[in-house]
Amino acid sequence: MPNYDFKTLSPIDFEILVRDLLQEELSVRLENFKSGKDRGIDLRYSPSPDNTLIVQCKHYAESSYKTLLGEVKKHELEKVKKLKPQRYILATSLGLTPDQKDELKAIHEPYIKTTGDVLGR
């Protein structure tokens, strides 16, 4: 199997790839939005106000885990807390270790339900 690094994708292309893969995996249609201020919502599935799935895509293929973690803690965590989604998925183009996935899940509890909702390269 090829080892894709996603470096040639723009951030919006990465979001579209994640959207297409998750729509297939989850059997739902995910909304996507134009670039810009998104309140922490790159993709969304919301069949009702109390049942919302939010997906945040972080295209960090040429960066480090430390940079991703800092971005999540500094900018994304407060947005997630305000949104209060039923389920939150964090997708990144950065490769992740089991410990890193555990840490990202713990930071986002109770919104990230399992480490399976932290998607790395």
Side-chain angles (χ1 to χ4, degrees), residues 56-75:
Q56 184 64 40
C57 302
K58 292 295 180 191
H59 189 25
Y60 278 65
E62 297 193 75
S63 195
S64 68
Y65 175 72
K66 183 178 177 181
T67 301
L68 171 68
L69 185 63
E71 172 70 16
V72 166
K73 285 181 174 179
K74 186 174 181 179
H75 298 289

Side-chain angles (χ1 to χ4, degrees), residues 40-96:
I41 305 170
D42 288 329
L43 307 170
R44 176 176 65 188
Y45 172 68
S46 187
S48 66
D50 61 339
N51 184 17
T52 302
L53 162 66
I54 301 295
V55 181
Q56 184 64 40
C57 302
K58 292 295 180 191
H59 189 25
Y60 278 65
E62 297 193 75
S63 195
S64 68
Y65 175 72
K66 183 178 177 181
T67 301
L68 171 68
L69 185 63
E71 172 70 16
V72 166
K73 285 181 174 179
K74 186 174 181 179
H75 298 289
E76 299 304 325
L77 190 55
E78 282 304 311
K79 294 176 188 177
V80 175
K81 288 178 180 178
K82 286 180 184 177
L83 291 167
K84 298 178 184 169
Q86 184 68 27
R87 182 179 178 191
Y88 182 77
I89 295 176
L90 176 63
T92 180
S93 53
L94 187 65
L96 299 171

Side-chain angles (χ1 to χ4, degrees), residues 13 34 39 51 114-116:
D13 289 337
K34 70 178 190 167
R39 295 184 299 136
N51 184 17
T114 72
T115 55

